[in-house]
Amino acid sequence: MSFPVHLQVSRLVLPVTMLMASSSKFSDFSMFLLFLLPFGSIVPLADARAFFIFGDSLVDSGNNNYLATTARADSPPYGIDYPSRRPTGRFSNGLNIPDLIGQKIGLSESPLPYLSPDFNGKKLLIGANFASAGVGVLNDTGVQFVNILRMYRQLELFQEYKRRLSSQVGSKQAHKLVNHALVLITVGGNDFVNNYYLVPYSARSRQYKLPEYVKFVISEYRRLLMRLYKLGARRVLVTGTGPMGCVPAELAMRGTNGSCSEELQRAASLYNPQLVNMLNGLNKQIGKDVFISANTQRMHNDFVSNPRAFGFVTSQIACCGQGPYNGLGLCTQLSNLCPNRALYAFWDPFHPSEKANRLIVEQIMTGSNEYMHPMNLSTIMAMDSSI
């Protein structure tokens, strides 16, 4: 698999006509290079493939900052450990999972939120983040957050992105960039936390018993993934849900004496294996390993069940929050705030700390088949670079 290549260009010493004359094979690329000159310095995509992100708050890097919604993280103390020490819209004290994966695959910077006014020009070549906090697989998930980018809308914006990219680099190069990109999709947890179990006797819980609801969510997720494939995605990391019943919010609202919520844990135990089976079926249908399953439930369980083995003092109490386990309400400037975020597995009532995110990404990169199926990201990168 050959990756689209463009050079670091700030001042071009040799005339471009000399470069074009040097080889007939180089002529197409030279025209591509000429087109890119107005954008200034450009990073080499031979070393760092483009990266696209879809999903919910676990991977949102700030799209919701530009939407009229309460599902946002654009106020302190969010971002307290981010390089700028300022909130960015990431639901983290620092870097989130897309940031860390981006570093691992050689990106010079993280893909910008698609809605950012700075997302233009050469930024399109790095990739884009379409994720939006509060969304689920289902369109009715997160209705309380009103104006969020539901999954169908994220895919519409991806189509729009492809048109914008084609207008800049041509349809052939745009097609290559998308085909050779890495895609991460993290969605599904909100379909339980912010839908089925949002309130007692929710509409979905009256409509479906839990096993049937899980099958329904999986079937709808399959449609989304096939749509993503038809839009050109060829390497897609798909994360399962974490141990939903063990996050500080659920310990505070549903747990008993510090134990995890049995119902939400049951939902995770039903959902995650069926997700893996569905991905295996898609790969078999396509005839290639397009979809890679990341067992984030197991990744989380490692440090949730034995936090001290990973350098945490607790996996029950959030660093930022209030009430039991700091699990109630939002993380705000009025919340309790721990002095050392690296000692806490959870940053706020729902989201892992940067340190926990780093542990998750290490397993995504190098984890065994128990964590990554059919292969980890390091294997994918090595395979793709050798083709």
Side-chain angles (χ1 to χ4, degrees):
M1 186 180 290
S2 60
F3 292 93
V5 180
H6 44 286
L7 303 176
Q8 182 79 22
V9 182
S10 52
R11 286 185 174 86
L12 200 61
V13 178
L14 292 175
V16 173
T17 52
M18 289 177 62
L19 291 174
M20 293 175 68
S22 64
S23 167
S24 60
K25 292 181 180 179
F26 203 66
S27 61
D28 289 343
F29 173 71
S30 298
M31 293 303 295
F32 180 48
L33 180 65
L34 275 170
F35 189 88
L36 292 175
L37 283 173
F39 297 120
S41 296
I42 299 174
V43 297
L45 280 184
D47 297 324
R49 66 208 299 181
F51 186 25
F52 300 106
I53 301 101
F54 301 87
D56 58 27
S57 60
L58 290 167
V59 292
D60 183 357
S61 292
N63 278 310
N64 281 20
N65 293 358
Y66 308 100
L67 299 171
T69 179
T70 57
R72 52 202 303 149
D74 57 348
S75 299
Y78 285 97
I80 190 171
D81 298 311
Y82 192 75
S84 66
R85 301 293 188 264
R86 300 177 65 181
T88 63
R90 291 163 172 81
F91 285 76
S92 173
N93 59 299
L95 301 178
N96 64 9
I97 287 173
D99 294 321
L100 298 167
I101 291 178
Q103 290 177 359
K104 293 289 187 181
I105 66 174
L107 292 181
S108 60
E109 58 184 288
S110 292
L112 285 176
Y114 186 76
L115 298 184
S116 169
D118 297 325
F119 186 68
N120 51 55
K122 66 182 182 181
K123 300 292 186 182
L124 275 69
L125 301 168
I126 297 169
N129 190 318
F130 301 91
S132 178
V135 304
V137 172
L138 307 181
N139 288 335
D140 59 297
T141 292
V143 291
Q144 69 272 32
F145 302 124
V146 188
N147 190 20
I148 52 180
L149 301 178
R150 305 189 188 283
M151 290 306 302
Y152 77 89
R153 181 58 179 155
Q154 291 184 32
L155 295 184
E156 287 177 350
L157 292 176
F158 186 42
Q159 286 182 285
E160 180 182 282
Y161 162 85
K162 289 174 62 181
R163 290 192 293 270
R164 290 175 62 186
L165 183 66
S166 294
S167 70
Q168 290 191 9
V169 303
S171 59
K172 182 178 179 181
Q173 290 293 343
H175 181 76
K176 278 187 178 181
L177 185 144
V178 169
N179 275 181
H180 298 145
L182 178 68
V183 178
L184 171 67
I185 181 165
T186 295
V187 69
N190 283 327
D191 291 291
F192 299 95
V193 173
N194 280 310
N195 191 331
Y196 195 85
Y197 290 110
L198 179 62
V199 294
Y201 308 108
S202 67
R204 287 298 191 185
S205 69
R206 294 195 306 272
Q207 183 181 8
Y208 295 102
K209 293 188 181 298
L210 180 61
E212 286 69 40
Y213 181 70
V214 169
K215 290 178 182 177
F216 174 58
V217 173
I218 292 290
S219 68
E220 293 299 302
Y221 202 172
R222 188 183 189 281
R223 293 173 189 262
L224 289 173
L225 293 176
M226 280 305 298
R227 179 68 178 145
L228 190 57
Y229 176 75
K230 289 176 181 177
L231 289 172
R234 293 296 180 268
R235 283 295 194 195
V236 186
L237 296 176
V238 183
T239 66
T241 71
M244 295 183 289
C246 299
V247 300
E250 299 305 332
L251 293 179
M253 293 186 290
R254 304 177 202 274
T256 305
N257 298 324
S259 62
C260 302
S261 163
E262 290 185 7
E263 272 298 291
L264 278 163
Q265 288 297 88
R266 178 171 172 248
S269 68
L270 289 171
Y271 176 82
N272 287 313
Q274 290 186 47
L275 177 63
V276 174
N277 289 339
M278 181 263 282
L279 298 177
N280 289 341
L282 282 178
N283 287 338
K284 185 175 181 181
Q285 176 182 331
I286 294 167
K288 296 179 181 177
D289 289 329
V290 171
F291 298 103
I292 311 299
S293 170
N295 188 345
T296 42
Q297 181 177 17
R298 174 131 189 200
M299 295 173 191
H300 278 85
N301 276 339
D302 285 347
F303 56 77
V304 165
S305 60
N306 190 8
R308 293 190 179 275
F310 296 88
F312 299 120
V313 296
T314 179
S315 61
Q316 293 184 314
I317 302 170
C319 169
C320 182
Q322 47 276 316
Y325 308 102
N326 279 345
L328 299 179
L330 302 172
C331 171
T332 71
Q333 288 180 295
L334 300 178
S335 299
N336 301 319
L337 180 65
C338 68
N340 187 348
R341 275 70 64 185
L343 297 179
Y344 287 72
F346 286 95
W347 155 245
D348 69 10
F350 286 103
H351 303 97
S353 63
E354 179 185 311
K355 181 178 176 180
N357 284 334
R358 288 185 181 277
L359 294 171
I360 292 165
V361 170
E362 283 303 317
Q363 289 290 6
I364 289 173
M365 292 302 301
T366 62
S368 67
N369 272 22
E370 295 175 329
Y371 295 91
M372 298 294 298
H373 181 80
M375 68 194 92
N376 60 42
L377 185 51
S378 293
T379 303
I380 292 169
M381 298 301 291
M383 286 174 55
D384 290 350
S385 64
S386 66
I387 296 175

